[in-house]
Amino acid sequence: MSIQHAPVHRADFDQVMVPVFAPAAFIPVRGAGSRVWDQSGRELVDFTGGIAVNVLGHAHPALVEALTEQASQLWHVSNVFTNEPALRLAKLLTEATFADRVFFANSGAEANEAAFKLARRYGHETAGPEKCEIIAALNSFHGRTLFTVSVAGQPKYSAGFGPKIEGITHVPFNDLEALKTQISDKTCAVVLEPIQGEGGVMPAEQAYLEGVRALCDQHQALLIFDEVQSGVGRSGQLYAYMHYGVIPDILTSAKSLGGGFPIGAMLTSERIAQHFGVGVHGTTYGGNPLACAVGEAVLSIVNTPEVLEGVATRSALLQRELMRLGERYGVFEQVRGMGLLLGAVLTEAWKGRAGDVMKAAQEEDLMILQAGPDVVRLAPSLIIDEADIHEGIARLERALARLTSA
Ligand SMILES: *Cc1c(COP(=O)(O)O)cnc(C)c1O
């Protein structure tokens, strides 16, 4: 028996959904590779990758196969039992990274929640209750639970929800001196995104991350890298920390890890993992067989030279084209980021108008993102065709031509 669908429209959103989002005027219904079709059959080029999620584009045959094969076998058994896809994915992750141990969750926020709780537990058990302070970067983003918004410390996300979680301080990103003055033996963890995503696509400087690692070691503080956005090939390496050669104690991954199926993971060492003993933390869905089967397929495909090397080629092409448009229309003054997480920074005259650029692009059948009001962000599929890049850029050019002549 198949379920009969009642017709729905964009206007229904404003009637039935909690209004925390303001989605675009159209509703996507189907995707293939880096193209998406809406209800009216209009075709769009997708430079958003579902905000750094659809790492292999839409409806990749290997992911469809992994999901449907698992769907006919076993969906869920709870963590009273383990399951094969979770064990296989955990093995892939530990073989490919610094980590020995994995905790699965369903989202980036939950992976970070686990990371922050683990860091505090570790501090408590190794040095006592005083060692509970967490230092994070200004302008960072770690998710929307109360702990993660407290750590990110952006008032727009954390104000107005009653008392925040205490013991968290914030320092400017890429400023080692500022961290030096904050860090102490009470610090249990320093949390950073190696490339700040939501904060404007801002990569960490090499010397900064090296200096942070040394300060953490000096004060027995754990270094946590939030790679929810920068991870799983987006930087051109499996994880961005590999570019820097700076190894964290805890790493969180989500977004691209499921290629569009919800999953999150916290990776850590054997030594630190021991502080999360039986019953200390948990989850119902984390490690779900469907999610892990898809994650296994994603990782198997992304962590290959073909895909990772292809990121650099595509990145160079996109950067070159964005700079060309930027100069021609006077809109972008710089393109920054790494691999296929790119931010085109608006010029002084265009500051604050990333939303307008995004909307104009949509009107030209192109999906793009913003990262704050001053940065246009692209996070496409890692295997986007060169032809799709050229077509997307042509559409962006039409949007910019229209905007700048208005
Ligand atoms: C998106 C994001 C998160 C939150 O992930 P969710 O899956 O939305 O909970 C956390 N950290 C970073 C760096 C992100 O980009």
Side-chain angles (χ1 to χ4, degrees), residues 51-53 106-112 116 140-145 148 192-199 225-230 252-255 262-264 341 377:
I51 317 190
V53 166
N106 310 292
S107 65
E110 282 175 75
N112 283 330
F116 303 158
S140 62
F141 184 78
H142 299 296
R144 296 299 199 107
T145 64
T148 54
L192 294 172
E193 296 160 83
I195 310 168
Q196 285 194 334
E198 300 303 309
F225 280 167
D226 177 346
E227 292 229 34
V228 169
Q229 189 153 162
S230 60
T252 54
S253 188
K255 291 201 167 95
I263 186 169
L341 180 57
R377 174 174 41 160

Side-chain angles (χ1 to χ4, degrees), residues 173-174 193-196 202-206 208-209 244 338:
F173 189 60
N174 274 333
E193 296 160 83
I195 310 168
Q196 285 194 334
M202 182 68 81
E205 285 158 17
Q206 178 70 33
Y208 177 64
L209 285 195
Y244 292 95
M338 226 184 246

